[in-house]
Amino acid sequence: MSVSSPAIEKLAIDTIRTLSMDAVQAANSGHPGTPMALAPVAFQIWTESMRYDPAKPLWPNRDRFVLSCGHASMLLYSMIHLAGVRDIDEQGSVVDRPTITLDDIKNFRQLYSPCAGHPEFGEAAGIETTTGPLGQGVSNSVGMAIASKWLAATYNRPGFEIFDFDTYVLCSDGDLMEGVAQEAASLAGHLRLDNLCWLYDDNKITIEGETDLAFSEDMRKRFEGLGWNTLQVDDANDLEALSKALQEFKACKDKPTLIVVRSVIGFGSPNKANTHGAHGAPLGEDEIKLTKQAYGWPEDAKFLVPTEVPQYFNETIGKRGAAGSADWERLFADYRQSFAAEAAQLDALFAGQLPEGWDSGLSEFPADEKGLATRVSSGKVLNMLAPHLPWLIGGSADLAPSTMTLLQGEQEFLPGSYQGRNMHFGIREHGMAAALNGMSLCGLRAYGATFFVFTDYLRPSMRLSSLMHQPVLYVLTHDSIGLGEDGPTHQPVEHLAACRAIPGLYVFRPGDANEVLESYRAIMQLSNHPAALVLSRQNVPTLDRTKCAAADGVAKGGYVLSDCDGKPQVILIGTGTELQLCLKAQEELTTVGIRARVVSMPCQELFDEQLPDYRESVLPKECSLRIACEAGIRQGWDKYIGADGHFVGMSTFGASAPYNQLFEHFKITSEQIVSLARVALQV
């Protein structure tokens, strides 16, 4: 049988379909219809178009495949299994075993199986990103395409095309209805990312019924307006038409490509094809038998993988990928000889490590009573880091002059000019955050900036940064009512609590310029967690560290900033701009004979990781009177101050007025702290 015969092609495609049907039925849960419809599309991408070596799934220049319609996860698991993708151990090395076995597929959606209900990054090699929430996968893919362009522009040299990978995405109506996808598609079109191909499953079915209940867009016209190259394939089973469309994508050199593929959900099912009954529930044993009969498949066989099918994948993507990765490794070995410094940088990037001397440019700020807004000191520190961390790249949602996130002396990342490190995401907070995840998944240290209140718009992608253990940095300014006259729509109140509620997201709210510096030092060493750096609009004094503890205490999340003589009677805990209020209150309490300790708590997550003895040394149990001061809501503070502790902060939305008037109005003052302590101690 020849490699490209119609018979083996049909056998392979039907294997993908039946594995998906059987797994969903065994789990009694899942989405069989889309894998059945899109099996030919995935097959064509993997066996003909995609440059990917199953034996080296971390090959840096591999093409990326993203199943954005993550509910069709069995399609991806089937492809990974049939292609024989090798596994990755905890040290990041390839091991000679399949990353997804047939037993894993038989345990689809069960505990400890890598075949989760939606693809989860890190569970198996070949899963390039987590694609549960619709719209996230397509939006991540824009970041992957950006990364490919930036890496090529930065590291390729004449005769050494080290980077030129493409990203292929399967997406659904649900993906493209989500607002984040529109933001991402707009950005991709503007940037002319011709290394990006979305294949849109136009099956006209959603969970509630047919798409025309709520959706009647001409998708090609929409994407043409966004600056995309648009193509049409009228039948998902037409491999020749799919091949031609994919070749046209490769030939297009100035636009991303959308291929609209007309499919039939649940293809082959006599009673459920082209209905929403094939979308979100198993077909049922009887319907599976009828469908297998329609395919010419043994109706009683379950999880059948004919030996010819893995062989076919090995003869196509396997051999092509092995040759491609071997050629790349030889090229990179020669590159290392000619461009040793660049190769060393790439070695660190591939390993997820920081380059040697990455923090050598960090310089302490002198004490200054007038001080700086922490957004300003953040901008200065970012520019101290940038020359020593070449793959630190990012931008803002059209707010760089306010968030202070421009890298001085660096070029801009623009359409057709991709070597810049200053990105312009436009007013697309959600699309920005999703793209940052894609960039991070390709090894870049990506950062994005906006006003803190607008984390409301990007939180789903921030959550996925943490779920995928990606060290994305969110620079978030205008952190409280301290931004003043813009009023309650722009004044974050509940946002610190909301961000701290995301498991694995490290939230830093530094209290002066040197805490900003040390926050960056700590953040850059977080290799598997994202961070939110929350910064002020208004000035705060740069503390005199000869009178206060050194700012390197930030590395432990919380530390004794200023202590009293003897055992404290009250502990004052502050963050951000309110730290100075705690210090002022300490002075006032000392004058009336009250021993007060001031604790700076810039990062609760880091503090909670410290050993019990250290936490006890900072917050001794014997001192039960504690007052926390933060210009946000109390939620989350009781673990430090106790249910009967005192909190000086917000309990309502803000107001529009100069910031100093607002702090007085809402009683976020040193006087309020002093009053609470004196009443509690009856002094």
Side-chain angles (χ1 to χ4, degrees):
M1 185 179 293
S2 68
V3 168
S4 59
S5 73
I8 187 62
E9 290 169 349
K10 182 179 187 305
L11 187 67
I13 290 167
D14 288 345
T15 302
I16 298 166
R17 286 168 166 154
T18 55
L19 278 178
S20 299
M21 292 157 49
D22 288 341
V24 171
Q25 190 64 43
N28 196 30
S29 173
H31 301 254
T34 300
M36 295 161 68
L38 294 185
V41 183
F43 168 85
Q44 192 66 23
I45 295 170
W46 282 60
T47 60
E48 182 179 284
S49 301
M50 193 165 72
R51 182 179 52 191
Y52 184 89
D53 184 356
K56 295 177 180 175
L58 298 182
W59 171 26
N61 201 38
R62 69 190 181 278
D63 287 346
R64 269 64 171 178
F65 177 83
V66 175
L67 183 72
S68 191
C69 43
H71 53 276
S73 56
M74 265 312 305
L75 176 61
L76 180 56
Y77 303 146
S78 297
M79 300 305 298
I80 291 172
H81 173 68
L82 296 174
V85 177
R86 299 290 92 183
D87 202 10
I88 305 294
D89 65 18
E90 291 182 0
Q91 287 71 46
S93 300
V94 179
V95 292
D96 190 21
R97 62 172 180 258
T99 192
I100 290 180
T101 66
L102 197 58
D103 283 340
D104 292 329
I105 288 175
K106 290 177 181 179
N107 286 289
F108 174 57
R109 287 184 168 231
Q110 306 307 302
L111 193 62
Y112 305 123
S113 171
C115 301
H118 294 78
E120 295 181 15
F121 177 77
E123 289 297 312
I127 301 174
E128 299 285 5
T129 184
T130 294
T131 55
L134 288 170
Q136 290 292 333
V138 288
S139 305
N140 292 167
S141 75
V142 174
M144 295 175 181
I146 287 169
S148 179
K149 290 292 189 183
W150 185 84
L151 287 164
T154 304
Y155 290 105
N156 286 2
R157 297 292 183 270
F160 292 94
E161 197 166 13
I162 302 298
F163 296 104
D164 63 348
F165 62 85
D166 295 327
T167 300
Y168 296 89
V169 186
L170 290 187
C171 57
S172 63
D173 292 303
D175 286 298
L176 299 191
M177 286 190 212
E178 292 286 358
V180 65
Q182 171 68 18
E183 292 184 21
S186 176
L187 180 61
H190 171 74
L191 290 173
R192 302 203 298 266
L193 300 176
D194 55 20
N195 57 351
L196 180 63
C197 182
W198 293 3
L199 295 101
Y200 163 53
D201 178 24
D202 183 19
N203 64 37
K204 303 194 184 301
I205 297 293
T206 66
I207 288 176
E208 291 185 357
E210 296 188 6
T211 53
D212 61 11
L213 287 169
F215 189 65
S216 52
E217 296 177 20
D218 184 322
M219 198 59 71
R220 290 190 69 181
K221 285 185 179 178
R222 191 224 280 192
F223 274 73
E224 285 168 7
L226 294 172
W228 286 57
N229 171 41
T230 67
L231 306 169
Q232 180 84 31
V233 172
D234 292 328
D235 180 2
N237 296 295
D238 188 341
L239 298 184
E240 185 176 345
L242 287 167
S243 176
K244 182 174 182 293
L246 289 164
Q247 290 170 21
E248 289 185 43
F249 152 62
K250 292 291 290 183
C252 180
K253 297 303 180 184
D254 63 349
K255 296 177 181 178
T257 293
L258 176 77
I259 304 175
V260 177
V261 182
R262 183 73 177 93
S263 75
V264 176
I265 195 169
F267 178 82
S269 171
N271 299 300
K272 293 189 177 181
N274 206 33
T275 72
H276 66 274
H279 191 294
L283 296 179
E285 294 288 359
D286 292 342
E287 189 67 14
I288 285 178
K289 288 184 178 181
L290 292 173
T291 306
K292 288 179 178 177
Q293 288 175 15
Y295 295 157
W297 200 263
E299 64 178 57
D300 291 322
K302 293 183 183 296
F303 300 101
L304 175 62
V305 178
T307 56
E308 304 97 312
V309 174
Q311 291 172 3
Y312 179 80
F313 276 91
N314 183 57
E315 289 294 318
T316 53
I317 190 172
K319 286 190 174 179
R320 188 176 67 249
S325 67
D327 287 345
W328 185 89
E329 288 178 356
R330 285 191 291 271
L331 184 66
F332 190 64
D334 292 341
Y335 181 91
R336 189 185 303 281
Q337 294 298 314
S338 300
F339 307 101
E342 291 86 346
Q345 290 179 12
L346 289 173
D347 286 337
L349 187 153
F350 298 154
Q353 298 172 350
L354 295 167
E356 187 176 349
W358 66 272
D359 61 348
S360 59
L362 297 181
S363 178
E364 186 177 356
F365 291 86
D368 180 1
E369 190 171 333
K370 179 182 177 182
L372 300 166
T374 54
R375 63 169 175 155
V376 173
S377 51
S378 166
K380 293 179 181 295
V381 176
L382 195 61
N383 277 281
M384 293 177 192
L385 281 171
H388 306 281
L389 183 45
W391 53 95
L392 179 67
I393 172 174
S396 79
D398 194 52
L399 290 168
S402 291
T403 58
M404 306 293 176
T405 43
L406 280 176
L407 301 182
Q408 303 300 322
E410 295 290 341
Q411 298 179 60
E412 296 174 302
F413 187 96
L414 296 171
S417 180
Y418 301 120
Q419 67 274 19
R421 294 166 65 187
N422 285 312
M423 301 201 64
H424 301 280
F425 290 103
I427 307 164
R428 306 181 182 101
E429 290 88 357
H430 199 178
M432 173 182 72
L436 294 173
N437 283 336
M439 294 162 64
S440 179
L441 287 161
C442 295
L444 305 186
R445 286 307 294 257
Y447 69 88
T450 188
F451 292 172
F452 189 32
V453 75
F454 298 137
T455 53
D456 286 338
Y457 289 159
L458 61 77
R459 191 173 292 113
S461 294
M462 179 185 274
R463 179 178 187 267
L464 287 178
S465 300
S466 191
L467 189 62
M468 293 190 288
H469 297 280
Q470 293 303 300
V472 174
L473 170 58
Y474 296 92
V475 180
L476 306 165
T477 68
H478 297 61
D479 65 348
S480 72
I481 58 171
L483 66 89
E485 292 87 344
D486 278 345
T489 62
H490 279 50
Q491 292 168 359
V493 172
E494 75 279 19
H495 298 71
L496 282 162
C499 287
R500 288 172 180 151
I502 298 175
L505 173 67
Y506 285 60
V507 181
F508 290 79
R509 189 167 183 251
D512 79 338
N514 285 308
E515 284 202 351
V516 170
L517 186 146
E518 294 300 334
S519 292
Y520 268 103
R521 196 191 304 275
I523 288 166
M524 289 298 117
Q525 295 178 82
L526 294 174
S527 61
N528 61 351
H529 291 282
L533 183 59
V534 184
L535 304 164
S536 73
R537 178 178 184 267
Q538 75 273 32
N539 282 14
V540 288
T542 302
L543 300 177
D544 184 346
R545 295 292 169 166
T546 64
K547 298 177 180 178
C548 299
D552 59 8
V554 170
K556 293 186 176 181
Y559 64 105
V560 179
L561 177 67
S562 177
D563 214 350
C564 55
D565 293 328
K567 294 181 179 179
Q569 295 169 278
V570 58
I571 298 175
L572 313 179
I573 313 171
T575 78
T577 54
E578 291 72 69
L579 192 57
Q580 61 183 315
L581 302 182
C582 293
L583 288 170
K584 186 176 180 181
Q586 181 191 41
E587 291 179 7
E588 295 176 24
L589 290 169
T590 301
T591 64
V592 294
I594 295 176
R595 299 186 302 278
R597 168 181 290 183
V598 175
V599 169
S600 177
M601 187 71 73
C603 182
Q604 295 183 2
E605 294 76 19
L606 276 177
F607 183 74
D608 292 348
E609 286 180 356
Q610 303 308 310
L611 293 173
D613 285 352
Y614 176 77
R615 298 199 305 272
E616 171 66 17
S617 73
V618 176
L619 299 175
K621 295 183 180 66
E622 64 181 0
C623 183
S624 60
L625 177 56
R626 300 174 184 183
I627 303 171
C629 185
E630 183 173 72
I633 62 171
R634 176 171 177 149
Q635 186 174 329
W637 276 103
D638 284 2
K639 62 181 174 180
Y640 303 122
I641 63 176
D644 297 326
H646 299 281
F647 182 74
V648 176
M650 299 294 294
S651 59
T652 66
F653 293 115
S656 181
Y659 80 89
N660 52 351
Q661 294 180 24
L662 291 174
F663 277 87
E664 291 289 338
H665 174 75
F666 289 106
K667 296 184 178 180
I668 304 176
T669 62
S670 61
E671 290 81 7
Q672 181 69 2
I673 298 171
V674 169
S675 175
L676 289 170
R678 294 189 66 169
V679 169
L681 293 169
Q682 298 181 347
V683 175

